[in-house]
Amino acid sequence: KGGYDHFMLKEIMEQPQAIFFFICGRLDLDKLTITLSGIEQYAEQICKANRIVIVSCGTSWHAGLVAEYLIEELCRINVEVEYASEFRYRNPIINEGDVILAISQSGETADTLVALENAKSKGAIILGVVNVVGSSIARLSHAGAYTHAGPEIGVASTKAFTAQLTVLELIALKIAHIKKSIDDAQYAHLLNELNAVPDKVQAILDSQIPKIREIARKYKDARDFLYLGRGYNFPIALEGALKLKEITYIHAEGYPAAEMKHGPIALVDENLPVVFVATKDRYHEKIVSNIQEV
């Protein structure tokens, strides 16, 4: 356990290392290049695709929602995010040349596998983002990228999730650069920011654990939680609520902050902790307004 009380805490603390290991060797700031050898042979087809369908389950589905924002904003390609368990039992419209992107920590998720087999039979290009080398999804995919986050012993995914976000960001930037859907200055800026993420995550883990423990002690007896975010932070709010459910057995819901007034605000009282993901982005003024409503 590396000196930690349990594996989940160890894996939380390994996030900077997991992100760094994936970036290392793939991101060259001197040349401003991204090397994703598993993706590059299909890069042209991905750039020409009319849509990308992301198929995943659980935490990986939340990573897919973040990727939807990333790819649509940076690459200007239509993206749909599907639960694999729903996608496999529907009769989805899949056209030849569609790109199906599967995200899975284990690479063995049964619903995702069946969904991919169906899509592949209809001529779709299958991309995989998985952690386990040689897994079933990796073998089924035409191309893809391994997250190389290392084994996760804890039940709730931690470092695998942030590693998935790192991979998906690099894929989006690679496609955007090829398509010229972002300019060189923005591309360089985002590469530099991504390269700084491991140190920033480490700084958060080093400085915020005492505050997190204090909050945990204060709200350990709460029966319900509400997690709210906007934009990229909406899927993060969903992931936060999922983590709380999985680990503490406390009921939690994640919501887009703007939707709170369309029903959930009725649940807000002095006993309901409400967690906002409120980073200094273009939604900040709006999220502050939502905080004031609560």
Side-chain angles (χ1 to χ4, degrees):
K1 298 191 189 80
Y4 295 102
D5 292 342
H6 45 75
F7 279 111
M8 185 171 173
L9 183 57
K10 176 177 181 279
E11 287 155 15
I12 288 170
M13 302 305 287
E14 284 176 346
Q15 288 179 101
Q17 179 183 319
I19 298 168
F20 173 78
F21 279 167
F22 185 80
I23 291 173
C24 187
R26 293 176 177 84
L27 178 57
D28 187 331
L29 286 184
D30 293 330
K31 297 178 181 176
L32 293 177
T33 57
I34 296 169
T35 303
L36 292 169
S37 54
I39 299 284
E40 282 165 12
Q41 60 182 317
Y42 287 93
E44 191 174 329
Q45 286 139 293
I46 297 167
C47 290
K48 291 178 180 176
N50 291 320
R51 65 169 184 162
I52 296 173
V53 181
I54 297 173
V55 180
S56 47
C57 301
T59 286
S60 296
W61 187 75
H62 296 149
L65 289 177
V66 176
E68 178 181 23
Y69 285 85
L70 281 170
I71 294 168
E72 289 195 340
E73 180 169 346
L74 298 177
C75 310
R76 310 309 297 159
I77 300 172
N78 179 46
V79 179
E80 299 169 21
V81 185
E82 298 271 3
Y83 281 116
S85 54
E86 291 296 315
F87 191 72
R88 69 172 283 193
Y89 289 111
R90 284 201 346 252
N91 186 19
I93 299 168
I94 300 169
N95 298 310
E96 191 168 342
D98 282 349
V99 174
I100 311 295
L101 172 58
I103 308 170
S104 171
Q105 196 282 129
S106 66
E108 302 293 345
T109 312
D111 285 327
T112 306
L113 266 170
V114 175
L116 293 183
E117 287 167 353
N118 179 34
K120 193 173 185 179
S121 70
K122 295 180 179 178
I125 297 166
I126 309 298
L127 304 179
V129 171
V130 299
N131 190 34
V132 180
V133 176
S135 57
S136 298
I137 289 174
R139 295 196 308 271
L140 182 67
S141 301
H142 291 105
Y146 289 114
T147 54
H148 295 300
E152 272 200 320
I153 311 300
V155 171
S157 180
T158 51
K159 61 178 180 174
F161 176 66
T162 41
Q164 285 171 349
L165 296 184
T166 307
V167 175
L168 294 163
E169 171 81 16
L170 276 177
I171 291 171
L173 284 168
K174 179 82 176 176
I175 296 167
H177 189 55
I178 293 169
K179 282 192 72 177
K180 300 295 183 187
S181 51
I182 58 173
D183 61 37
D184 290 343
Q186 187 184 6
Y187 175 69
H189 170 71
L190 290 173
L191 289 190
N192 278 281
E193 287 294 325
L194 185 57
N195 191 60
V197 166
D199 288 339
K200 290 183 178 183
V201 176
Q202 189 65 59
I204 294 296
L205 293 173
D206 289 343
S207 65
Q208 300 303 306
I209 297 295
K211 293 181 181 180
I212 291 165
R213 284 203 175 107
E214 184 183 331
I215 291 167
R217 288 191 193 99
K218 184 173 181 180
Y219 295 106
K220 66 183 174 59
D221 296 322
R223 298 188 62 182
D224 301 279
F225 268 75
L226 190 60
Y227 281 70
L228 301 174
R230 281 176 176 259
Y232 287 87
N233 290 326
F234 162 50
I236 305 305
L238 292 177
E239 177 64 9
L242 176 64
K243 286 288 167 280
L244 197 73
K245 282 181 277 201
E246 278 187 298
I247 298 157
T248 68
Y249 311 123
I250 295 171
H251 169 254
E253 274 195 79
Y255 249 86
E259 289 296 303
M260 182 191 62
K261 57 184 171 286
H262 298 295
I265 200 165
L267 301 172
V268 174
D269 60 19
E270 66 275 12
N271 299 312
L272 180 73
V274 183
V275 180
F276 284 87
V277 189
T279 53
K280 287 285 183 77
D281 54 19
R282 65 175 180 264
Y283 300 101
H284 189 255
E285 187 179 336
K286 294 286 188 182
I287 203 89
V288 169
S289 174
N290 297 134
I291 292 170
Q292 290 167 341
E293 286 175 335
V294 170

